[in-house]
Amino acid sequence: MRKIAAATAVAVALLANGLVGAGLGVATAAPAAATKPMSLYSPSALVLTVEPGTGDDEGSVQRAVTLSCAPTPSGTHPAAAAACAELKRVQGDFTALAPIGRPMCTQLWQPVTVRADGVWNGKRVSHVQTFPNTCIKSAAMGGVFEF
Amino acid sequence: MRKIAAATAVAVALLANGLVGAGLGVATAAPAAATKPMSLYSPSALVLTVEPGTGDDEGSVQRAVTLSCAPTPSGTHPAAAAACAELKRVQGDFTALAPIGRPMCTQLWQPVTVRADGVWNGKRVSHVQTFPNTCIKSAAMGGVFEF
């Protein structure tokens, strides 16, 4: 859908004023677009991390994945498409990720801290949140931080 | 798929031992456990951005790419392998990226700001640097911020 729209825009641009340079850069897509794929949309590129503790100590980050949601979901996130869908639903607002039902978790204090840094739809994102334990984290954040 | 698997696991856990809290915590983690590739190495996952200006204004980020360097170079960076090689050479220290020869650039003031956020070898990275113009940026930062 997005690709079709982009291709249409390019075609219109070419027909309208023959902007060969700008137009071709996109039209030849695969190899050439590698150098400048960012012109037709606002980028959404994130690093998501999960680390034990409250995030105050300068501990080692055990898990980190990349997630890019434009033009297509990609990255080392194991379920990039689903994570992008969840983030699109809340327009990149990590505080609005809805809990999955009512979490059935203990209140055991084994804190875990999640972070999201990068860009969503062209706007800078920096979200940090600590949960009492992994179960509560998973219940609150859905699939975005499941990796 | 994931939800179904999780639900099944939950049902089994409930039936088996009724450990509602702990059981759920483990059960919901089960599907994700299949996709845990991060245990054998420290992660290196970054979001790199380039934006016009000095970075003080809350402007829109025009370009952003993801770059993951472990276990293999990947991401939306157009030259992920080369960028990872450069970063490995300086062990993730963005201030140590060597300039390519002597830059032949004007001193025209059209500032551009680069940022790197994420994790390098398990350690959190947050680097911001402003250059007088794109030519000087490219000369100083090599291929890492060429996208």
Side-chain angles (χ1 to χ4, degrees):
Chain A
M1 180 66 181
R2 186 180 289 261
K3 279 185 180 170
I4 293 168
T8 308
V10 169
V12 169
L14 284 172
L15 287 171
N17 51 22
L19 275 177
V20 176
L24 277 186
V26 177
T28 51
T35 50
K36 303 237 174 179
M38 304 298 172
S39 52
L40 291 176
Y41 55 87
S42 297
S44 292
L46 298 164
V47 170
L48 309 176
T49 64
V50 177
E51 60 193 293
T54 56
D56 298 329
D57 47 346
E58 287 289 316
S60 184
V61 178
Q62 290 183 325
R63 292 181 194 167
V65 297
T66 57
L67 180 66
S68 179
C69 293
T72 54
S74 66
T76 56
H77 194 294
C84 286
E86 287 189 63
L87 288 172
K88 277 177 185 163
R89 185 175 55 79
V90 298
Q91 298 183 316
D93 179 5
F94 282 80
T95 64
L97 285 171
I100 302 169
R102 185 176 169 182
M104 298 179 69
C105 300
T106 68
Q107 290 297 318
L108 187 68
W109 183 247
Q110 284 183 334
V112 61
T113 299
V114 303
R115 288 179 198 249
D117 289 295
V119 178
W120 181 268
N121 202 22
K123 294 290 176 193
R124 199 158 292 284
V125 168
S126 188
H127 181 75
V128 185
Q129 197 166 356
T130 298
F131 298 92
N133 57 56
T134 300
C135 176
I136 296 174
K137 181 267 286 178
S138 297
M141 302 305 271
V144 174
F145 287 95
E146 293 300 314
F147 50 81
Chain B
M1 181 65 179
R2 180 183 293 260
K3 277 183 181 172
I4 292 168
T8 308
V10 167
V12 170
L14 284 173
L15 286 171
N17 53 22
L19 273 177
V20 176
L24 275 186
V26 176
T28 51
T35 53
K36 283 186 181 168
M38 303 297 173
S39 54
L40 293 178
Y41 54 89
S42 296
S44 293
L46 298 164
V47 170
L48 308 176
T49 63
V50 177
E51 59 194 291
T54 56
D56 299 329
D57 47 346
E58 287 290 315
S60 184
V61 178
Q62 290 184 327
R63 291 182 193 168
V65 297
T66 58
L67 179 67
S68 179
C69 293
T72 54
S74 66
T76 56
H77 194 293
C84 286
E86 288 189 63
L87 288 172
K88 276 176 185 161
R89 187 173 55 77
V90 297
Q91 299 183 313
D93 178 5
F94 281 80
T95 63
L97 285 170
I100 303 170
R102 185 175 171 183
M104 296 181 69
C105 300
T106 68
Q107 291 297 320
L108 187 67
W109 183 246
Q110 284 184 333
V112 60
T113 299
V114 302
R115 288 181 200 248
D117 289 296
V119 179
W120 181 265
N121 203 23
K123 295 289 176 193
R124 198 157 293 287
V125 168
S126 188
H127 179 77
V128 185
Q129 197 166 354
T130 298
F131 298 92
N133 57 55
T134 299
C135 175
I136 294 174
K137 182 266 288 178
S138 297
M141 301 305 272
V144 174
F145 287 96
E146 293 300 313
F147 49 81

